[in-house]
Amino acid sequence: MIFNYSAASRGLRTRDGPPGCPGSAPPSAGALAARTGCAGRQVAPGCAGCLIFSAAWESPPTFGFLLDIDGVLVRGHRVIPAALEAFRRLLDSQGQLRVPVVFVTNAGNILQHGKAQELSALLGFKVEPDQVILSHSPMKLFSQYHRRRMLVSGQGPLVENARALGFENVVTVDELRAAFPVLDMVDLQRRPKTTPLPPSDFPAIEGVLLLGEPVRWETSLQLIMDVLLSNGNPGTGLATAPYPHLPVLASNMDLLWMAEAKMPRFGHGTFLLCLETIYQKVTGKELRYEGLMGKPSILTYQYAEDLIRQQTERRGWVAPIQNLYAVGDNPMSDVYGANLFHQYLQMVKHDGAQELGAGGLWKQRPSATQSCTSILVCTGVYSPKVPVSTEPAQGGEEPPFHGHRDFRFSQELMEASHIVHDVDEAVQLVFHKEGWAL
Ligand SMILES: [Mg+2]
């Protein structure tokens, strides 16, 4: 038996309950209130009766969360206390998520299952690897390059990450440097003492993967440039650099990110800025990306939407997900990305899928998603006490734009739909908007 709990239902409905449950017959609103002492509220926080009620009778969710990690759930290696509160609301009495949640981070120099384990330990519930979207995760979609010989830049478990994304034939910058030691000349201590012959059997490189910020930037910048200028044969010298150059796939364009330090740190976006500037200066042409992913790229949100859909299907929730809520601390990546995706959803609804902005698009299956709402928190990069770059600076100076070259400055896109203190307030806000019990 299923019936609407009330005309102004918060999305709760009742059906035959489990044995022993006080609600095995559908209760009236008044009876429920009397039973739980909720005094007119449908479900009271912390009330055991209400928890049983909400777990047993909650309607399938029609909304889901895209949660940023750094600055929203954690700062460095410390969990933000509000994140624990938020998950108390998001989990049911069985420790299961009440709504679909994916974690969307621009981090990249880590394995997906490693990040899931780290989050599980910090948040106190089991996070599955396929709930975690790293900045390079959408590279799985670029299967046309998976069999090509790709130079991979970054740090950490680089080769493992590239393989997990589907790339079968990768060469690291360190391996390239070992094969051609005369290429890396900035550090006097690392210059070769002799002049070895270049290998004659080194297969040509056919593309470049930029997974995250490397260490020894001068080495990576030099060798990536060598590969692009030589069409993948850095042992040879070409009179004219080929253009278009070899395909470049890049992820994580964050200029800065927030760790334990009081001031933001360099992100991979700073490395990309260096590479783009050097390429432009040397060749007079623009470095082009075959794919640019991580927030705020639409590609990342399409990928996240697909994982939300898969999670919903696995849980047996029959209602399609209509509203996505993206919670983040960075106006340029989290807010801009969510708003750009929302614009994209509106455009698709009216005109069908077309190219919009940079970063490429993935032809995905038709979706029921109607909206993507941006929610900015104040526990990370953004602080309400510091003027944000979207606001005109005093004295008429242009505010700095920290976004990537391929994403135009847009004050509208950098303005969050909601600004709240922390992720717990964000969850409360969304539950209220969706008519769900806290
Ligand atoms: Mg963040």
Side-chain angles (χ1 to χ4, degrees):
M1 177 186 300
I2 299 176
F3 83 113
N4 283 332
Y5 171 58
S6 73
S9 169
R10 290 178 162 199
L12 293 175
R13 63 188 182 190
T14 61
R15 59 189 171 202
D16 289 337
C21 172
S24 56
S28 67
L32 181 74
R35 198 159 61 221
T36 60
C38 295
R41 297 180 63 179
Q42 286 170 337
V43 175
C47 165
C50 288
L51 282 176
I52 294 168
F53 179 81
S54 67
W57 291 299
E58 228 160 48
S59 290
T62 56
F63 63 100
F65 283 96
L66 279 56
L67 299 181
D68 178 34
I69 299 176
D70 290 305
V72 174
L73 305 177
V74 300
R75 278 288 288 269
H77 294 291
R78 284 181 297 120
V79 67
I80 295 172
L84 301 177
E85 289 300 317
F87 277 92
R88 270 183 211 118
R89 299 181 200 282
L90 287 167
L91 296 170
D92 65 19
S93 56
Q94 313 298 310
Q96 297 277 312
L97 283 166
R98 298 165 64 194
V99 297
V101 174
V102 290
F103 302 90
V104 190
T105 175
N106 270 353
N109 292 322
I110 185 171
L111 291 169
Q112 200 174 5
H113 65 77
K115 196 70 182 171
Q117 280 177 356
E118 187 185 311
L119 278 175
S120 300
L122 287 168
L123 298 175
F125 82 101
K126 174 107 177 87
V127 174
E128 299 294 340
D130 60 7
Q131 285 180 283
V132 176
I133 301 171
L134 302 175
S135 61
H136 46 63
S137 295
M139 284 189 193
K140 285 178 190 164
L141 307 173
F142 288 80
S143 55
Q144 68 270 39
Y145 300 117
H146 286 175
R147 294 206 159 166
R148 293 204 193 178
R149 186 167 160 83
M150 306 293 278
L151 175 69
V152 58
S153 163
Q155 59 179 296
L158 264 187
V159 174
E160 220 176 330
N161 254 330
R163 295 242 163 87
L165 293 167
F167 296 95
E168 298 169 13
N169 189 358
V170 294
V171 181
T172 65
V173 171
D174 283 345
E175 287 168 341
L176 187 63
R177 180 179 174 276
F180 300 96
V182 296
L183 298 180
D184 187 17
M185 300 297 277
V186 172
D187 186 342
L188 297 179
Q189 301 296 320
R190 280 163 46 101
R191 282 188 187 177
K193 304 294 181 256
T194 58
T195 307
L197 287 174
S200 56
D201 56 350
F202 195 83
I205 290 168
E206 299 169 291
V208 178
L209 301 178
L210 305 174
L211 297 190
E213 58 270 28
V215 290
R216 294 187 186 278
W217 285 21
E218 82 281 3
T219 299
S220 292
L221 289 168
Q222 177 72 75
L223 270 63
I224 293 166
M225 281 296 294
D226 289 336
V227 164
L228 295 176
L229 297 179
S230 67
N231 208 29
N233 296 283
T236 64
L238 283 185
T240 311
Y243 198 81
H245 52 69
L246 289 174
V248 177
L249 300 176
S251 64
N252 184 3
M253 58 202 105
D254 282 356
L255 191 74
L256 303 169
W257 67 288
M258 203 70 197
E260 284 103 336
K262 301 276 187 240
M263 292 169 66
R265 305 293 85 198
F266 287 163
H268 193 217
T270 308
F271 180 80
L272 297 179
L273 178 65
C274 294
L275 183 62
E276 291 156 13
T277 307
I278 295 168
Y279 189 88
Q280 174 85 44
K281 194 74 178 171
V282 169
T283 67
K285 300 186 177 81
E286 192 172 77
L287 183 78
R288 309 267 305 262
Y289 296 99
E290 197 69 18
L292 188 53
M293 55 214 83
K295 295 173 288 188
S297 166
I298 291 174
L299 198 57
T300 289
Y301 289 82
Q302 287 182 304
Y303 191 78
E305 183 194 16
D306 203 51
L307 290 195
I308 289 265
R309 181 188 54 75
Q310 290 176 27
Q311 206 178 120
T312 303
E313 286 174 1
R314 269 201 309 277
R315 291 291 299 273
W317 289 324
V318 290
I321 298 300
Q322 295 178 354
N323 302 319
L324 296 177
Y325 294 91
V327 185
D329 69 314
N330 189 327
M332 185 50 230
S333 56
D334 299 306
V335 173
Y336 190 111
N339 290 344
L340 188 65
F341 188 56
H342 181 76
Q343 272 189 3
Y344 167 76
L345 290 171
Q346 306 316 302
M347 196 178 73
V348 169
K349 211 160 54 181
H350 292 112
D351 310 323
Q354 293 172 10
E355 189 64 37
L356 177 78
L361 290 176
W362 173 40
K363 280 198 166 171
Q364 62 188 143
R365 52 196 285 176
S367 89
T369 309
Q370 304 285 319
S371 70
C372 183
T373 302
S374 54
I375 304 178
L376 182 64
V377 297
C378 306
T379 47
V381 167
Y382 171 75
S383 166
K385 294 177 193 154
V386 179
V388 286
S389 58
T390 57
E391 293 171 353
Q394 288 183 354
E397 291 173 23
E398 282 293 310
F401 177 57
H402 289 173
H404 186 267
R405 177 200 70 188
D406 294 355
F407 290 77
R408 65 186 168 85
F409 172 78
S410 164
Q411 185 159 332
E412 182 193 357
L413 288 176
M414 290 168 73
E415 283 175 358
S417 300
H418 304 278
I419 301 179
V420 295
H421 180 64
D422 54 39
V423 65
D424 185 40
E425 279 190 22
V427 169
Q428 292 184 55
L429 172 83
V430 172
F431 277 18
H432 180 71
K433 277 169 70 77
E434 294 287 340
W436 270 47
L438 296 176

